[in-house]
Amino acid sequence: APPMGDFRMALVSAINVDLPNQHPTVVLRETETPRRQLSFSIAFPDAVVLSHALRRIPTPRPFAHELLSGILQGFDIDVVAVRLVGRQGSVYFAELDLRGRSGRSVHSCRPSDALTVALQQPVPVPILIDRRLLEQVGDVMPPGPATPAV
């Protein structure tokens, strides 16, 4: 089923560390005008693996995201899209949209995990941001029937 809601296409623009803040920040930027940004903090280890994926830096042994990506490709499962769908306080919620021989499935996940898996794919994966996350301050509930679990 197609996702409900109004989404904007984005790219991973940067992963920043701004001391003395202890948490790196992921910056997503809209691909079209007005090219707004969405920034959120992630854990340092997640920033490291996301940076490796963004820069396509090989690792001597696969990180968990590389392992998952290899499994998806091995079973001919495509990553259709990553969607940022909600926010509760400083916590963002994402979905990983997959399509395989048995059909399509959507999995709730952390944005950093979804972005890292998407960047590991052999073809570009759309990164979609619910427009409300760019336009509203405060909590934004995901548009579907499911409520995210923290």
Side-chain angles (χ1 to χ4, degrees):
M4 296 169 33
D6 184 7
F7 291 88
R8 299 285 297 175
M9 189 91 105
L11 294 172
V12 178
S13 174
I15 302 156
N16 298 322
V17 177
D18 186 18
L19 298 174
N21 184 359
Q22 297 179 24
H23 299 286
T25 302
V26 175
V27 181
L28 302 178
R29 176 169 279 129
E30 283 181 295
T31 57
E32 296 177 13
T33 305
R35 297 194 190 282
R36 295 170 287 192
Q37 289 188 166
L38 180 68
S39 301
F40 54 90
S41 295
I42 62 173
F44 197 82
D46 298 325
V48 171
V49 294
L50 183 57
S51 292
H52 274 81
L54 181 61
R55 293 171 177 81
R56 298 211 172 264
I57 298 171
T59 57
R61 297 187 42 107
F63 287 137
H65 302 90
E66 294 168 308
L67 174 63
L68 176 60
S69 294
I71 292 168
L72 292 174
Q73 291 169 33
F75 282 97
D76 202 25
I77 297 171
D78 295 324
V79 179
V80 176
V82 167
R83 287 188 292 276
L84 273 76
V85 295
R87 176 178 53 228
Q88 205 166 15
S90 63
V91 177
Y92 282 79
F93 300 94
E95 297 175 343
L96 195 58
D97 191 343
L98 305 175
R99 180 179 49 231
R101 290 186 193 106
S102 61
R104 201 157 163 186
S105 60
V106 176
H107 304 269
S108 180
C109 60
R110 300 182 314 162
S112 59
D113 292 334
L115 292 168
T116 302
V117 169
L119 292 172
Q120 292 285 339
Q121 300 311 299
V123 296
V125 173
I127 298 169
L128 306 171
I129 302 173
D130 186 311
R131 182 185 298 261
R132 299 172 303 156
L133 293 170
L134 296 163
E135 296 174 351
Q136 297 177 18
V137 176
D139 293 351
V140 173
M141 293 311 296
T147 302
V150 176

